[in-house]
Amino acid sequence: MPSRLAQFYALTKPRVVQLIVFCAFIGMVLAVPGLPSAAQWAMMAVASAGIWLVAGAAAAFNCLVERRIDARMKRTAWRPTARGELSGAQALAFSALLCAAGSALLYLAVNPLTMWLTFATFVGYAVVYTVILKPLTPQNIVIGGASGAMPPVLGWAAMTGQVGPEAMILFLIIFLWTPPHFWALALYRVEDYRKSGLPMLPVTHGNEFTRLQVFLYTLILFAGCMMPFVYGMSSWIYLIAAVALGIGFCVYGFLLWRDYSDQLARRTFRFSLIHLSVLFAALLVDHYLL
Ligand code: HEM
Ligand SMILES: CC(C)=CCC/C(C)=C/CC/C(C)=C/COP(=O)(O)OP(=O)(O)O
């Protein structure tokens, strides 16, 4: 049996939260013109820690609420809450502790706006998405995706004390990226979702309709990814990366739409992770080199 610590850590969905914190960090980097001062680097580290704690708390709360559903799905049945290795009370206490610690850090060492926005994101994912939308509608991840898209806004708020249009552009990119990211996965995990009883799109509307949606979202996402260049917040390094990644994602979307296989859906899902990670890394490189 894994150690207690490893069990609690697993509840925070570490890999997802890593990318979330990375996107928040890029929001911070872009909010500061030129190279940050030592004090600004310190602020970025503290804000990243605070956002990491609250995002981990949101993930843990999701594991608590969905422990019975998780137990029914192969992909999630191993979670300590689904296996009953951690009780509901333990998961709740852990989530509350992380959320309180992260919120206190953001309030005291960053600024109240960032704390409130991060807390609203916690509520958006843990309550609005997990409790209300997920069992209600196949558009759950589209609307709920707004919480996942918040990190750059949180990062921007941490460094400037406000929410700028640049941050909203980065929000839009993650918001449009979420449906092809999730539905590619849901296509090859459809049997899991059928067993779960959740109204995910491939279960309610079928494989073919979902594939069309994935393809269409990759096209709108491509347009959305042009915004940082069009708005003048990024230059040609970003543009080249965004066009190359965008073409890659659209090609995956197109191929998946025309000729489905589980293997291609899995590769499309994996590509979604590369797409977002490299796109945001390109924003950083572009910011410092040009
Ligand atoms: C409502 C929005 C979202 C939904 C429904 C969703 C859904 C999922 C699901 C079900 C997985 C699990 C894949 C597996 O177990 O094989 C996953 C993986 C992942 N997601 Fe998302 N996601 C969302 C938003 C995001 C956001 C905003 C990010 C980061 C910015 C993100 C980053 C990741 C990463 C890095 C993984 C891989 C985890 C791993 O390999 O262990 N997701 N996503
Ligand atoms: C405060 C802050 C920045 C919060 C971020 C919120 C957050 C953790 C968003 C990530 C989205 C995510 C893990 C989706 C997984 O979908 P799912 O929950 O449907 O997947 P599952 O089936 O694996 O549980």
Side-chain angles (χ1 to χ4, degrees), residues 15-16 19-20 23 75 125 129 140-141 144-145 148-149 174 177-178 181-182 185 188-189 193 269 273 276:
R15 286 213 288 248
V16 182
L19 188 55
I20 282 179
C23 293
R75 181 178 59 80
Y125 175 67
Y129 169 69
N140 46 19
I141 60 111
I174 306 182
W177 167 89
T178 301
H181 162 71
F182 175 72
L185 168 109
Y188 69 86
R189 297 281 189 189
Y193 281 115
F269 170 75
L273 299 177
L276 194 66

Side-chain angles (χ1 to χ4, degrees), residues 140-153:
N140 46 19
I141 60 111
V142 178
I143 313 166
S147 313
M150 279 298 282
V153 177

Side-chain angles (χ1 to χ4, degrees), residues 12-13 16-17 20-21 24 50-60 62-63 66 69-70 73 75-76 79 117-126 129-130 134 141 144 147-151 154 178 181-182 185 193 198 200:
T12 65
K13 304 191 182 175
V16 182
V17 168
I20 282 179
V21 174
I51 293 167
W52 186 84
L53 286 166
V54 181
N62 170 278
C63 291
E66 297 194 331
I69 292 174
D70 282 347
M73 303 203 290
R75 181 178 59 80
T76 49
R79 285 184 180 153
L117 286 174
T118 309
F119 186 69
T121 308
F122 172 93
V123 174
Y125 175 67
Y129 169 69
T130 303
K134 210 167 158 181
I141 60 111
S147 313
M150 279 298 282
L154 306 179
T178 301
H181 162 71
F182 175 72
L185 168 109
Y193 281 115
L198 293 167
M200 293 309 192

Side-chain angles (χ1 to χ4, degrees), residues 125-172:
Y125 175 67
V127 182
V128 178
Y129 169 69
T130 303
V131 179
I132 303 171
L133 292 170
K134 210 167 158 181
L136 189 71
T137 159
Q139 290 298 313
N140 46 19
I141 60 111
V142 178
I143 313 166
S147 313
M150 279 298 282
V153 177
L154 306 179
W156 194 277
M159 302 313 289
T160 63
Q162 56 191 17
V163 176
E166 294 91 339
M168 292 314 295
I169 288 175
L170 302 183
F171 171 95
L172 180 73

